[in-house]
Amino acid sequence: MQSWRRRKSLWLALSASWLLLVLLGGFSLLRLALPPRPQPGASQGWPRWLDAELLQSFSQPRELPEDTASPPQAPHGGSCNWEACFDTSKCRGDGLKVFVYPAVGPISETHRRILASIEGSRFHTFSPAGACLLLLLSLDAQTGECSSMPLQWNRGRNHLVLRLYPAACPRTFQLGQAMVAEASPTVDSFRPGFDVALPFLPEAHPLRGGAPGQLRQHSPQPGVALLALEEERGGWRTADTGSSACPWDGRCEQDPGPGQTQHQETLPNATFCLISGHRPEAASRFLQALQAGCIPVLLSPRWELPFSEVIDWTKAAIVADERLPLQVLAALQEMSPARVLALRQQTQFLWDAYFSSVEKVIHTTLEVIQDRIFGTSAHPSLLWNSPPGALLALSTFSTSPQDFPFYHLQQGSRPEGRFSALIWVAPPGQPPLKLIQAVAGSQHCAQILVLWSNERPLPSRWPETAVPLTVIDGHRKVSDRFYPYSTIRTDAILSLDARSSLSTSEVDFAFLVWQSFPERMVGFLTLSHFWDEAHGGWGYTAERTNEFSMVLTTAAFYHRYYHTLFTHSLPKALRTLADEAPTCVDVLMNFIVAAVTKLPPIKVPYGKQRQEAAPLAPGGPGPRSKPQAPAPDCINQLAAAFGHMPLLSSCLRLDPVLFKDPVSVQRKKYRSLEKP
Amino acid sequence: MCASVKYNIRGPALIPRMKTKHRIYYITLFSIVLLGLIATGMFQFWPHSIESSNDWNVEKRSVRDVPVVRLPADSPIPERGDLSCRMHTCFDVYRCGFNPKNKIKVYIYALKKYVDDFGVSVSNTISREYNELLMAISDSDYYTDDINRACLFVPSIDVLNQNTLRIKETAQALAQLSRWDRGSNHLLFNMLPGGPPDYNTALDVPRDRALLAGGGFSTWTYRQGYDVSIPVYSPLSAEVDLPEKGPGRSFALEATFCVVLRGARLGQAVLSDVLQAGCVPVVIADSYILPFSEVLDWKRASVVVPEEKMSDVYSILQSIPQRQIEEMQRQARWFWEAYFQSIKAIALATLQIINDRIYPYAAISYEEWNDPPVVKWGSVSNPLFLPLIPPQSQGFTAIVLTYDRVESLFRVITEVSKVPSLSKLLVVWNNQNKNPPEDSLWPKIRVPLKVVRTAENKLSNRFFPYDEIETEAVLAIDDDIIMLTSDELQFGYEVWREFPDRLVGYPGRLHLWDHEMNKWKYESEWTNEVSMVLTGAAFYHKYFNYLYTYKMPGDIKNWVDAHMNCEDIAMNFLVANVTGKAVIKVTPRKKFKCPECTAIDGLSLDQTHMVERSECINKFASVFGTMPLKVVEHRADPVLYKDDFPEKLKSFPNIGSL
C-alpha cells in the first residue's frame, strides 16, 4: 500500500516533469518546424535565394562589344556641349584671352564702362585672331544697343553672348555654337557645362566695388523674424511664424498675430528669405537676400542658380520642394544654430566675392570659362567656395590649397617654418651688410635675396652668411619688389629695404607671429588712413596714432602669394601708378591684402622706434625709410580703382607675452626687444 | 524532484526492495527528463544565434520557383523616357510625406518571371549583381515592405544589361507593376545601356517618367538633377580580392595615370578597376557623365581630356605638379573605397543622392562626399569663418557668476559699468539657498542689469546661452575681479572685435608636456608662452556658450560640474578644437595684490589646485582624442603701449597699472 503510494508520487513527479518538458520544448520545436507567418509590420526583406550563388553575372566578358569609333551624337543636331562646340586649341599658352566686339554706333554710359572694365582686365586682348573667346555684349534692348551679327561670327564658335540684363536683345540671329551667359536661364533651355547662369542684376547695380554685405554679426539677432517673404509688388514682408505652422500661402496674413507682419521696401531683415521659384524675376530677390545675409529658401526653382557650375549653393541657400511647405517650414524652425550660422556667413562671402558689382559678375563668368579650359589646373572647389573666393585665389599660382595662405585650417596644414628675405637696394645703393647679418642670424631664415635696383654696378663681394644669398639684378622699377621670383620657395617673405634696420630678435618674433596669421601682413612700422573732410577725400599719415591700417613693406612679413596677386591680378594701370609714385607702393600692397583678407595688418614691436619716431621732420627722411610726403592722391586713385576703401584699422600691437612686464629679464625670451 | 530526494532520505528500506533493473530504469528516466529540461532552457535563452541567421525567418526558395507572369502581346507600353523630366515635374514628392528622420522609404517589388504569349521568357529572371543590389537596399534603412508608405519603388525586373532583355516586353512588364503610374517614383538601375550598332547612352526600354540610375550617360541623355549616373560595376573586382597581387593588373600598379577610353559605350567597367589600383583615370570619352558627378568632384580624382586633344595627353599629364598627382591618387582610391567597390556601395550612394534631393536641408555636404577620411580628421571648419569685424556700437554683455560674495559682486558691477561698450550686465545667481539682494540695494548703473537665478549650483551655468544675451560679445567675469581697469576691459573688447572667433582674456596659462610623468601639466608661472586664458575675465562669442552647453564632447560638462573646477579649461579646449586657433591674451600680467582677489592667482598657487588642473587637462585631452590647445608667444597691447608718447594722447592709458 505504502509502496504503491510512493510509486504514485514518483509517477506524479515524473509526469509533471514530462508535461513541463513537452510544453517548453514543444514550442521551440514548433518554431523550428514551421517558418513564422509574416507578421504585420515586421520587415520581411528581399528573399535570400537558395540558388543565389548560381546566378549569372549581368555582364559576361565575351559579350562586351568591340570598340566603335563614333562618339555619341546630339539627338537634335542643334544642341551643343563643351567638347563639341568649343575649340580649346585656340587657347594654348597663357590661358583665356578675350576679345570684345566694340560697340557699333552710340552707346550708353553703362555699356561704355563695361567695355572699359573688360578691356582693363587681365583677360583682354585687342586681336580677335589671337583670342580664344570672343565676347559679344548684349545689353539693354530698350536703348537699342543690340548688335547685328558680328564679322568673325563663324557660326558662333568660341563666342560668348553676354546678356547681362534680363531685358536683353532679342535673338536676331542664330546663336549657333555660341555660349550664352544670361540672367537666371530656365532649367530647360540651360545647357550645363556650356552656358553660364548669371545673377539677375538690378539696373542700378554698381559697376565696380559694390556695396558690402549687410551682415554685421555672425549669428542672427535675437528676436529677428524667422522668415521674410517676397511680395508681388517688390519689397519684403516678414512673418514671425513662431511655433505654429504658418506657411506662406497667405494664411499668415489672414491670421495676423501681434507684430507679425512688417513691410520693408529694400532689404529683408530675417533669418530666412522665401523666394518662389517660378518667375525668373524672383532671382533678383535672391540677390537681395544674399546681400542682406538672409538665407534664401528657394521653392522648386525653374531657373538655374547663378554660376551653379562652380558655386556650391547648398552651403548658402536651401532649395526645397514647393509641394512640401509644412515640411520645409518645420525644417527651417528646427535647423541647428550651427547650420544657420554657416549658411548666413556663406551668403555674405558669396555676395562679396562674386555678385556685388557688375565687374565681379563679368570676371566670374570669364573665370568659369577659363576653368573649363584649364582642366586639371582649374580652381579646386574649395577655392571657389570659401573666402576669399576664386577671383582672389588664382589657380595659376597653384592648385593645391596648402600653397595659399587661406586654407591651412581646412586642410589641416601649417605654413612653412622658414622665410625668404628679399632686400631691395635702391639708390644710392650701399650693400646692406648689417641688415644681411641680422636677418641671416634668424634660425628661421631660409635664404636671402638681394634685389639690386640701382645704377651702380653690382658689388662683387658679399658677406659670408649661413644661408644662401642670391643677387637679382632688377629693372629699377618699384614694382619689381613684388614680382613672384621663382627663386622664392618659402611661404613667407620678409620684405626689406636696404635702409631698414632690424635685429635678429625682432625678425624671429615677427616671423613667429606671422605663422599664426599667414594671410595677413606683419610689419614693424605703420601708416594710418583717414577721411579728410576738408578735401573730401582719403588721406594717410605716418604719424604715430592709436590706430593703424597699413604696415610699411620696407620691413614686413607676408605670404609669397601676394607677389603673384600683385603682378598678375592688378590692372596694369595700378602697377604703373606704383612705379611712378614709389611711396604709393606700400599703400597699394596694403590695399591688395586688405581687399583679400578683409582684415587689418598686424603690428609687432620695433625697438628703435622711439628714437626716430619723434617729430617727423618734413622733407627730412631719417636714416631709415620713412614715407616721404605722403601722396594723398595715390590713396584716392587706388580707392577709386578698387571701387571702395578696403583698409581696416587696428588698435593693437602684438608683443611678446612678457613684454616689459616687471619680471626678471632672464625669464624673457625676447629681452632685446625692450632695450631702449 | 524534491519528492524523490525526500523519498531517498526516508527510504533506505525501499531501495533494497526495488530491483536493480527498476532503479536503472528510474535513473535513466530522470536523466532524460533533466537533460530535456536543460536543453529546452538553453534553447529558450539562446534564441538569437539561431534567428539571426536570416534563414529562419525568410522563406527558402529558388529563383526558378518564382511566379510566372504572362504578358499579352497587346499589353500597354510606357512612353519613351521623358527628357524634360525634373524632380519637381515628374517625381511625386507627396508620396514621401513627412519623415522625421528625413529618409525616403523604398519598396522593392516581388520577383517574378515574365513570359510572352508563347511562354518565351522576356529576360533572365535576375542577375547576381541585381540580386545583390536589391538585397543591399532591403538591408538598408531606406527599405520598407509597406507599399503604401513607400516613396520610391524599385522593380525587381533586372535591366542592368540591355543586351539580356527584350525591350518591348520588358517595357510591358514595367507598365503592369501595381504602382507604375507612368513610372513616377520608380527607379531603374542600368549599367550597360544601348545595343549595336549605335549604342544609345541610356537604356532603350521605354520607361516614361521613371528615374534612371545609369552607367554611361552622355550629356545628351542625362537629365541633370533627375537621373543618377552610376559606375559600371566590374565583376572582376569581386573576384580579385587583393589588387596588389592580381597578376593581370600590374599595368595599373606601376602607373600613375591610367587611360580610360570610350568603347562602344561611354561607361567602362575598367574605370572601377583603375580607381581600385589607386591610378588616376585619364578619361577620354567626350560628353561622358562621370559616375555620381552630381556629388563627386571628379576634378580632384581624374583628368578629363577631350578626344580631339588625345595627342596632347602626354604634355597635359606632364604639366600636373607632383603634389596634385599624389592628392589625385589618394582621391581616386577613396572614391573606389566609398562608392565603387561593391554593388552595395553603388546602390546606397544612388539612394543617398535621391534622398538629398528630397530632403535638401538634411543633405550630405560636399566635404562629406568628397574628402577622404584623412582630410576629414585633420581639417578644422571654423564656425565663424567669415572675416567680419563687428561694429563697435553693438557692445558686449558682461556675465558675472556669483554665489554669495555680494559686496565684491557690487564692486565688480560698479567697475564694469564704467566700460563704455558695456551694453548689458547679467548676474547669474548660483545660490539656491539665498535670495539675491533686494532690487533697491543693487548699484545703480547706466545699462540694464538682469539677475538670472539658477536651479542648481553648477559651474556650467556661467556658459549657458541665456536669451538675455543680445550681443555677440560676452564678457565672462568672476565676482571678485575688481582689479581690471575700465581701459583694460574696453581694450579687451576692441581686441575681441578683431578676433571674434577667439577667446580673448586677461590672465594667461600654459599646458606643458611633462616628460618624466609622460602626461600634460598645467603651468601658471611667468612664461614666454600662452595657450589658455582664464574665463574669470575673458571675452568670447556667445555662440561658444551654445557649443559649451549642447555640443561639449563626452562627459566633460558633467565632469566639470561634479568637480566644481576647470570649466575655463574646458572652454579653452572647446574653442581651440572647433576653430583651430590660439587664444589672445591681452595686456600685461598683473600682480593681484588685493587680499580678497584670490580667484585668479591666489587659488592657482595652491598646490592641490595645480594638480587638479593638470588632471583636467589630461582628462580633456583624452576625451577630445587630441590636444587642441595652440601655444603662442604673443599677447595684444594697445599700439602705443609703453611707447615714448604723451600718455594723455593714448586711447588706453590706464593699462597694466596696479
Side-chain angles (χ1 to χ4, degrees):
Chain A
M1 182 68 188
Q2 199 186 26
S3 86
W4 179 84
R5 203 184 294 155
R6 276 178 194 154
R7 201 165 293 174
K8 195 175 124 187
S9 58
L10 198 71
W11 274 114
L12 211 71
L14 254 177
S15 42
S17 310
W18 269 111
L19 206 68
L20 201 69
L21 183 71
V22 168
L23 273 174
L24 285 173
F27 274 126
S28 311
L29 283 172
L30 207 69
R31 265 204 328 211
L32 276 177
L34 301 172
R37 303 266 128 208
Q39 285 166 16
S43 181
Q44 218 196 350
W46 183 250
R48 264 60 177 166
W49 303 106
L50 282 171
D51 43 5
E53 292 300 314
L54 302 175
L55 291 175
Q56 292 224 312
S57 174
F58 77 108
S59 95
Q60 302 301 321
R62 63 190 144 69
E63 68 161 318
L64 286 177
E66 278 111 67
D67 291 6
T68 55
S70 66
Q73 290 302 317
H76 320 290
S79 196
C80 256
N81 71 2
W82 178 255
E83 288 95 352
C85 296
F86 194 89
D87 180 11
T88 47
S89 63
K90 290 179 109 184
C91 313
R92 281 169 216 270
D94 42 350
L96 186 68
K97 281 292 163 213
V98 182
F99 170 80
V100 195
Y101 286 107
V104 199
I107 55 168
S108 69
E109 178 64 12
T110 322
H111 195 153
R112 196 191 60 73
R113 287 171 65 197
I114 291 174
L115 276 179
S117 153
I118 299 174
E119 281 167 8
S121 82
R122 64 175 184 275
F123 300 110
H124 184 255
T125 175
F126 282 105
S127 135
C132 127
L133 182 75
L134 295 100
L135 194 80
L136 183 65
L137 270 179
S138 172
L139 292 172
D140 209 332
Q142 289 157 1
T143 52
E145 289 171 3
C146 293
S147 39
S148 51
M149 189 189 290
L151 284 175
Q152 285 90 2
W153 184 242
N154 186 21
R155 283 177 297 122
R157 201 159 172 81
N158 284 32
H159 276 69
L160 174 71
V161 178
L162 189 66
R163 297 152 68 92
L164 264 185
Y165 298 99
C169 304
R171 293 180 178 177
T172 49
F173 49 89
Q174 277 293 317
L175 283 175
Q177 300 185 341
M179 297 180 282
V180 179
E182 64 181 336
S184 29
T186 60
V187 179
D188 299 323
S189 68
F190 183 72
R191 296 165 293 183
F194 190 65
D195 290 337
V196 180
L198 299 184
F200 192 103
L201 299 179
E203 272 173 38
H205 208 58
L207 181 72
R208 186 173 285 164
Q214 295 283 300
L215 215 58
R216 288 286 161 269
Q217 56 179 52
H218 289 93
S219 44
Q221 195 91 38
V224 76
L226 180 72
L227 265 184
L229 307 122
E230 52 162 342
E231 293 203 312
E232 285 292 322
R233 50 183 189 281
W236 295 84
R237 172 167 58 88
T238 55
D240 185 14
T241 53
S243 55
S244 72
C246 162
W248 34 84
D249 52 9
R251 261 193 279 164
C252 295
E253 257 184 335
Q254 291 159 18
D255 181 25
Q260 194 170 65
T261 60
Q262 170 191 356
H263 295 272
Q264 279 157 333
E265 283 309 310
T266 51
L267 291 177
N269 180 20
T271 305
F272 297 99
C273 277
L274 208 86
I275 296 158
S276 130
H278 294 267
R279 297 163 296 120
E281 297 76 44
S284 68
R285 305 304 184 71
F286 177 69
L287 220 52
Q288 279 185 3
L290 268 194
Q291 184 184 5
C294 180
I295 303 161
V297 179
L298 297 158
L299 296 179
S300 303
R302 311 284 202 265
W303 37 276
E304 192 70 21
L305 295 188
F307 305 125
S308 54
E309 187 175 340
V310 290
I311 293 178
D312 181 358
W313 282 107
T314 60
K315 287 183 158 57
I318 291 163
V319 178
D321 200 302
E322 62 187 345
R323 292 170 292 176
L324 299 175
L326 291 179
Q327 283 87 327
V328 175
L329 185 68
L332 299 185
Q333 281 165 343
E334 284 163 16
M335 193 167 286
S336 74
R339 182 92 199 280
V340 172
L341 202 59
L343 288 165
R344 267 167 65 94
Q345 292 176 75
Q346 192 74 4
T347 60
Q348 294 296 281
F349 152 62
L350 291 176
W351 163 261
D352 199 62
Y354 307 116
F355 298 107
S356 66
S357 70
V358 174
E359 195 173 80
K360 281 177 189 167
V361 170
I362 292 175
H363 283 188
T364 308
T365 309
L366 298 178
E367 204 76 48
V368 167
I369 292 168
Q370 177 170 272
D371 264 11
R372 291 181 193 161
I373 295 166
F374 275 1
T376 53
S377 43
H379 290 100
S381 169
L382 177 72
L383 268 58
W384 277 106
N385 291 292
S386 56
L391 300 188
L392 295 170
L394 306 181
S395 63
T396 46
F397 172 71
S398 169
T399 45
S400 292
Q402 303 97 295
D403 289 341
F404 290 87
F406 318 115
Y407 314 106
H408 285 300
L409 282 173
Q410 285 116 306
Q411 293 291 304
S413 58
R414 299 175 53 138
E416 243 176 293
R418 285 147 61 83
F419 68 85
S420 305
L422 179 61
I423 307 175
W424 187 54
V425 190
Q430 287 298 322
L433 304 180
K434 239 180 104 183
L435 183 65
I436 289 174
Q437 292 299 355
V439 172
S442 166
Q443 50 173 325
H444 306 291
C445 183
Q447 59 172 341
I448 294 176
L449 296 140
V450 175
L451 181 56
W452 193 260
S453 192
N454 63 70
E455 301 300 329
R456 291 171 61 154
L458 279 172
S460 53
R461 300 185 63 189
W462 292 90
E464 289 286 315
T465 50
V467 294
L469 187 145
T470 317
V471 182
I472 304 168
D473 202 358
H475 296 100
R476 290 141 189 81
K477 283 199 294 190
V478 177
S479 54
D480 284 355
R481 289 174 53 198
F482 303 110
Y483 186 80
Y485 297 102
S486 58
T487 39
I488 303 178
R489 291 263 167 225
T490 57
D491 285 344
I493 293 175
L494 170 58
S495 172
L496 293 166
D497 182 290
R499 288 164 296 183
S500 316
S501 89
L502 286 176
S503 70
T504 307
S505 183
E506 282 166 334
V507 170
D508 278 343
F509 179 70
F511 180 65
L512 231 57
V513 169
W514 177 84
Q515 283 185 296
S516 287
F517 306 96
E519 77 281 23
R520 302 204 206 183
M521 289 217 278
V522 174
F524 298 88
L525 292 166
T526 58
L527 302 174
S528 54
H529 76 289
F530 55 87
W531 179 255
D532 189 345
E533 287 287 350
H535 297 91
W538 296 101
Y540 68 100
T541 171
E543 264 178 69
R544 285 202 293 156
T545 53
N546 285 295
E547 290 188 337
F548 67 93
S549 53
M550 294 177 266
V551 294
L552 294 190
T553 56
T554 49
F557 278 99
Y558 52 81
H559 198 282
R560 79 183 160 104
Y561 172 65
Y562 292 119
H563 277 202
T564 303
L565 209 53
F566 182 95
T567 308
H568 295 308
S569 86
L570 276 187
K572 202 163 177 294
L574 290 185
R575 270 177 291 140
T576 316
L577 177 74
D579 283 334
E580 284 163 4
T583 51
C584 196
V585 82
D586 278 321
V587 184
L588 179 54
M589 198 61 181
N590 279 280
F591 260 65
I592 294 175
V593 179
V596 171
T597 60
K598 319 258 185 291
L599 294 168
I602 284 172
K603 174 174 164 48
V604 287
Y606 183 55
K608 301 231 174 82
Q609 187 163 0
R610 253 161 297 148
Q611 300 165 355
E612 297 144 28
L616 185 73
R624 28 187 346 103
S625 159
K626 284 279 167 203
Q628 292 93 10
D633 228 33
C634 154
I635 194 168
N636 284 311
Q637 280 183 43
L638 291 180
F642 275 72
H644 69 296
M645 165 52 72
L647 296 178
L648 290 159
S649 294
S650 170
C651 64
L652 61 92
R653 181 181 76 202
L654 292 183
D655 293 334
V657 171
L658 298 179
F659 188 69
K660 296 193 177 170
D661 274 357
V663 65
S664 158
V665 181
Q666 294 309 312
R667 279 179 175 268
K668 297 186 180 179
K669 185 170 169 190
Y670 302 99
R671 56 193 84 121
S672 61
L673 292 193
E674 301 181 15
K675 284 186 190 141
Chain B
M1 275 198 285
C2 198
S4 69
V5 171
K6 209 162 106 191
Y7 184 85
N8 272 333
I9 293 165
R10 285 221 293 165
L14 174 77
I15 294 167
R17 270 172 52 199
M18 284 168 86
K19 294 277 169 353
T20 324
K21 201 176 78 185
H22 279 115
R23 216 191 302 177
I24 290 169
Y25 169 75
Y26 279 124
I27 288 171
T28 318
L29 206 69
F30 268 114
S31 316
I32 291 171
V33 171
L34 209 71
L35 268 170
L37 275 171
I38 290 168
T40 318
M42 275 173 68
F43 207 79
Q44 293 286 326
F45 291 109
W46 207 351
H48 291 290
S49 69
I50 293 160
E51 272 178 68
S52 63
S53 79
N54 284 301
D55 302 350
W56 290 100
N57 57 358
V58 178
E59 214 168 336
K60 270 283 183 189
R61 282 186 299 152
S62 162
V63 170
R64 275 164 303 175
D65 301 340
V66 297
V68 176
V69 177
R70 185 178 295 269
L71 296 166
D74 58 348
S75 61
I77 304 176
E79 299 272 308
R80 285 198 60 84
D82 183 354
L83 265 179
S84 66
C85 262
R86 296 291 180 274
M87 289 308 270
H88 59 83
T89 54
C90 294
F91 194 89
D92 178 6
V93 79
Y94 294 114
R95 287 216 172 134
C96 306
F98 182 59
N99 190 321
K101 277 190 287 183
N102 291 332
K103 202 130 209 169
I104 55 169
K105 287 291 166 201
V106 183
Y107 176 81
I108 305 175
Y109 287 99
L111 187 61
K112 288 184 181 141
K113 184 182 173 67
Y114 295 91
V115 294
D116 61 14
D117 278 335
F118 308 101
V120 180
S121 69
V122 164
S123 64
N124 294 341
T125 313
I126 191 163
S127 65
R128 187 169 65 225
E129 286 80 9
Y130 200 55
N131 180 49
E132 236 175 89
L133 193 147
L134 296 180
M135 200 145 70
I137 296 176
S138 154
D139 290 347
S140 72
D141 293 348
Y142 297 107
Y143 180 71
T144 178
D145 61 355
D146 183 352
I147 198 165
N148 295 314
R149 285 178 55 205
C151 141
L152 196 64
F153 303 88
V154 180
S156 57
I157 302 165
D158 183 351
V159 294
L160 278 184
N161 183 352
Q162 186 180 318
N163 280 353
T164 61
L165 50 86
R166 290 158 67 188
I167 289 174
K168 180 185 150 212
E169 288 78 4
T170 306
Q172 288 172 325
L174 287 173
Q176 54 77 53
L177 291 170
S178 61
R179 299 288 165 114
W180 177 250
D181 184 23
R182 298 195 61 199
S184 54
N185 296 34
H186 280 64
L187 174 65
L188 305 179
F189 286 88
N190 167 256
M191 289 182 179
L192 299 175
D198 52 350
Y199 288 101
N200 189 3
T201 54
L203 182 68
D204 282 316
V205 176
R207 55 187 189 276
D208 210 339
R209 295 175 152 186
L211 295 151
L212 184 60
F217 275 118
S218 73
T219 42
W220 318 117
T221 50
Y222 180 64
R223 295 169 290 182
Q224 180 122 7
Y226 193 66
D227 290 327
V228 182
S229 175
I230 60 170
V232 180
Y233 180 67
S234 165
L236 233 65
S237 357
E239 284 154 24
V240 187
D241 288 334
L242 289 171
E244 288 80 10
K245 302 279 176 267
R249 302 185 169 216
S250 48
F251 78 96
L253 260 187
E254 280 121 52
T256 309
F257 294 102
C258 299
V259 173
V260 179
L261 266 176
R262 169 173 62 79
R265 296 191 176 97
L266 281 174
Q268 299 289 317
V270 72
L271 174 64
S272 186
D273 300 334
V274 164
L275 294 174
Q276 183 179 14
C279 187
V280 178
V282 179
V283 182
I284 308 180
D286 283 1
S287 81
Y288 176 39
I289 304 285
L290 281 156
F292 302 130
S293 58
E294 184 172 341
V295 290
L296 298 191
D297 185 351
W298 280 98
K299 267 201 292 192
R300 286 169 67 173
S302 70
V303 182
V304 178
V305 178
E307 287 177 23
E308 61 168 31
K309 280 201 169 183
M310 212 188 305
S311 53
D312 302 345
V313 163
Y314 189 70
S315 64
I316 292 174
L317 298 184
Q318 267 202 324
S319 70
I320 305 175
Q322 186 56 31
R323 188 148 162 197
Q324 195 180 350
I325 293 174
E326 282 160 23
E327 279 165 23
M328 288 172 125
Q329 286 178 310
R330 185 180 66 182
Q331 196 71 20
R333 218 167 290 128
W334 156 247
F335 277 3
W336 186 79
E337 276 167 26
Y339 310 112
F340 278 73
Q341 70 166 325
S342 63
I343 284 283
K344 182 181 176 183
I346 296 171
L348 294 185
T350 306
L351 293 184
Q352 183 71 53
I353 289 174
I354 296 171
N355 196 80
D356 284 359
R357 292 183 193 155
I358 293 165
Y359 303 110
Y361 29 81
I364 286 188
S365 71
Y366 169 91
E367 287 76 16
E368 284 171 278
W369 280 108
N370 288 286
D371 285 352
V374 58
V375 175
K376 280 182 192 136
W377 279 102
S379 74
V380 171
S381 64
N382 185 357
L384 304 168
F385 62 84
L386 186 74
L388 184 71
I389 296 186
Q392 191 194 42
S393 57
Q394 211 182 83
F396 65 90
T397 305
I399 302 182
V400 195
L401 185 75
T402 189
Y403 190 75
D404 57 4
R405 288 186 284 205
V406 173
E407 193 187 335
S408 164
L409 169 71
F410 284 180
R411 274 184 70 188
V412 168
I413 292 175
T414 316
E415 287 304 312
V416 173
S417 71
K418 292 176 189 159
V419 184
S421 284
L422 178 75
S423 83
K424 188 188 253 185
L425 217 152
L426 205 62
V427 174
V428 179
W429 189 262
N430 226 1
N431 189 344
Q432 287 76 42
N433 304 320
K434 207 166 121 183
N435 286 336
E438 294 275 312
D439 282 356
S440 56
L441 299 175
W442 290 82
K444 298 284 170 286
I445 56 172
R446 54 169 189 89
V447 296
L449 191 155
K450 281 250 169 75
V451 181
V452 182
R453 299 196 63 177
T454 59
E456 253 183 291
N457 179 21
K458 289 198 291 190
L459 274 181
S460 55
N461 289 339
R462 111 171 313 168
F463 296 135
F464 188 82
Y466 297 101
D467 287 342
E468 285 83 356
I469 308 173
E470 287 174 289
T471 61
E472 289 203 289
V474 169
L475 167 68
I477 188 157
D478 281 346
D479 61 1
D480 54 0
I481 305 294
I482 48 176
M483 64 298 285
L484 289 173
T485 65
S486 171
D487 268 355
E488 283 167 336
L489 288 172
Q490 180 66 26
F491 177 67
Y493 172 64
E494 300 290 349
V495 173
W496 176 84
R497 287 179 52 229
E498 286 190 38
F499 303 98
D501 53 349
R502 303 190 189 220
L503 276 173
V504 173
Y506 295 84
R509 291 293 181 264
L510 184 66
H511 72 287
L512 289 169
W513 183 253
D514 186 336
H515 287 282
E516 280 168 30
M517 307 290 285
N518 238 358
K519 57 182 194 176
W520 295 109
K521 196 177 123 204
Y522 180 77
E523 181 60 80
S524 67
E525 280 299 308
W526 297 75
T527 55
N528 287 290
E529 295 167 322
V530 61
S531 65
M532 290 174 271
V533 291
L534 301 186
T535 52
F539 286 94
Y540 60 85
H541 196 283
K542 74 171 170 191
Y543 178 69
F544 296 134
N545 271 356
Y546 162 80
L547 285 186
Y548 187 99
T549 308
Y550 300 109
K551 303 282 168 186
M552 181 67 92
D555 60 340
I556 290 182
K557 191 164 160 261
N558 291 334
W559 197 87
V560 164
D561 284 335
H563 289 72
M564 282 299 251
N565 198 352
C566 299
E567 88 286 9
D568 50 353
I569 297 180
M571 189 59 139
N572 274 278
F573 266 74
L574 181 79
V575 176
N577 187 56
V578 80
T579 63
K581 294 184 177 179
V583 296
I584 302 270
K585 177 196 160 21
V586 277
T587 69
R589 182 165 176 136
K590 284 203 159 187
K591 282 182 182 166
F592 291 104
K593 280 188 175 154
C594 63
E596 43 183 316
C597 336
T598 50
I600 289 180
D601 276 24
L603 254 182
S604 301
L605 290 172
D606 183 3
Q607 208 53 43
T608 54
H609 179 75
M610 297 297 290
V611 173
E612 258 182 53
R613 306 276 283 176
S614 295
E615 284 308 309
C616 290
I617 292 181
N618 285 294
K619 155 90 186 165
F620 298 165
S622 77
V623 173
F624 277 83
T626 175
M627 169 47 77
L629 299 179
K630 301 270 181 290
V631 180
V632 290
E633 302 191 15
H634 53 251
R635 71 161 199 245
D637 289 325
V639 175
L640 300 174
Y641 173 69
K642 294 254 171 155
D643 270 2
D644 185 12
F645 195 78
E647 287 296 314
K648 59 183 166 188
L649 293 180
K650 290 185 182 176
S651 298
F652 307 101
N654 196 3
I655 285 207
S657 54
L658 299 175

